[in-house]
Amino acid sequence: MIKYHIKSINPVSQFIQISLYIPVRHLSRVRLQLPAWRAGRYQLANYVQNIRSLHVISPTGQRIPNAKLTKDLWEFSPDHVGEYQVSYEYYCAKMDAGSSWVDEEEIYLNFVNFCFEIEGQSEERIEVQVETPENFRTCTTLLSENKLYFANSFQQLADSSFLASESLIHETFQEGTVNFHLWFHGKIHFDLTEFKENIKGFAQKQMEAFGEFPVEEYHFIYELLPYPHYHGVEHQRGTVITFGPAESLSDRKHMNELMGVSCHELYHAWNVCQIRPAEIMPYDFSTEAYHQAGWVVEGITTYMGDVFLLRSGYFSLAEYVETFEKIINREAINFGWQNQSILDSSFDLWIDGYVAGIPDKKVSIYTHGALIAFCLDAMLLDEKSSLHEVMKILWRRFGKPKIGYTLKEVWEAILSKTSHPIYFNQFYDDYIAGKEDIFPLVKKHLDSLGFGLETKAREDHLASHFGILLQEDGKIIKIHPASEAHKKLMVGDLVVSQELRHGSITLSINRFGRKMNVELATSESILFADYFLQVKNSNTKRARWIAG
């Protein structure tokens, strides 16, 4: 059995000391591959930059040479059969839901950051032991037996996390035969009983919708932080969610955000953790794994997460509308759809990452993907079906048997629920493979569900009438591509002063040390607008949609 022993001799240094014990049965080269990325984040992270002092010790207690073949692949040649020890240190100094953090108060680990995949031994069982102070409580998404932790394969180890602290708070509930655990590190500024009931509510609705749950035990692990933060990562047996500031959760508005990411991550227990593109089934963490399924992976999950908060009764209809309105407004200022399809934006995550990138190159697989999912759901509702009926098909065909899907197979599942394939295929060509403006179609389907989508000029005249978005310090961060400003101003220009006159404006700007004046004519149309979603009179179709 492969074994890991992990400890932190000096927690405030934020280093952990790792001993990896490898059973060597044949005198052939042993290769150790460190992951370069993690599940749920299709971007190279290069965890190797946090490793130091790696050395190999033979069964006789002697250090033996090792060689680095690539940036994160090591190799050594054993001289005896037996158990070899690979010792190294890892720097745990990044607090988010997919990284690792160690200090005097906690040990928080994501094993994908620092555990090696041993070539030819990926399917062997792995034992994990983490040394913690006696007064610490621990939680993990690993398997647990007699105070030891296990993974049945490297894939399971890489999909697991661990948290230990003296101040760890634990709550449980059962839904059907599934045991759910809630773990909290940080200060709690909300009613814990009410919180648990709300989690139970959407868990129940999701389980009813799919008819079953993928695993017998699931852990919600919350890092409640004293500073602003928002992040969640899915695991097959749980999720890690980092959120702050913790004290803001006494406000319903911020609690809605925490519930939103919690429901989103739970939906991932089916979609992505098991219903997964063929390109990442299984994960190869050594190199990029390009796929175009971002609108399925994250778009559908973003949309469904909010819908299940509505169906569980946590969201009022007004709160759901407010949440969907935010998605619409985020998308309204992004013109990446003019230049790249969501298929290509998914593929290019490995290049662009999860930051804004160059102006209007790409679309978001989360928010733009959610609009695609909404339109498909509304279209399928007209066919007396739903997007979730499609997800159940994908669960039975691909998720439950753990077979990777192709986008062609996803689309075939969608077409199996319609008698109007031409209409759906045109949607695919225009809005998934193509670069058409999806907003008119979103408005049409909102109307059909009894929602009104209206636009209004922003109070900021620079945004509405001149197409310029500023930071608080006056720096230009975005320029509308249809504005006159697009031909005269640059992203990064600093607006020092402005003189508004009838029909025009004169801006004094500092362009990276150069001072100049720029005059712009007032646009005849509203450029950057605010979108408002309203509930109109109730209708039967909306009632069916809410009921699921």
Side-chain angles (χ1 to χ4, degrees), residues 251-267:
D251 185 332
R252 172 80 178 188
K253 178 179 70 174
H254 295 288
M255 178 56 74
N256 287 352
E257 293 177 353
L258 183 58
M259 281 292 159
V261 66
S262 299
C263 195
H264 175 109
E265 299 304 336
L266 184 64
Y267 197 84

Side-chain angles (χ1 to χ4, degrees), residues 193-203 252 259 312 314:
T193 301
E194 181 182 358
F195 184 90
K196 182 167 71 172
E197 285 303 308
N198 290 330
I199 296 286
K200 185 175 182 179
F202 69 68
R252 172 80 178 188
M259 281 292 159
S312 71
Y314 174 78

Side-chain angles (χ1 to χ4, degrees), residues 1 77 80 100 231 256 275 317 403 409 448 461 484 533:
M1 182 185 297
S77 297
H80 292 79
S100 298
H231 192 213
N256 287 352
I275 306 170
L317 185 57
I403 301 169
E409 289 168 324
S448 75
H461 61 273
E484 182 185 3
L533 190 57

Side-chain angles (χ1 to χ4, degrees), residues 85-99:
Q85 179 183 344
V86 180
S87 296
Y88 55 102
E89 293 185 305
Y90 187 83
Y91 190 51
C92 303
K94 185 175 182 182
M95 173 55 76
D96 65 26
S99 301

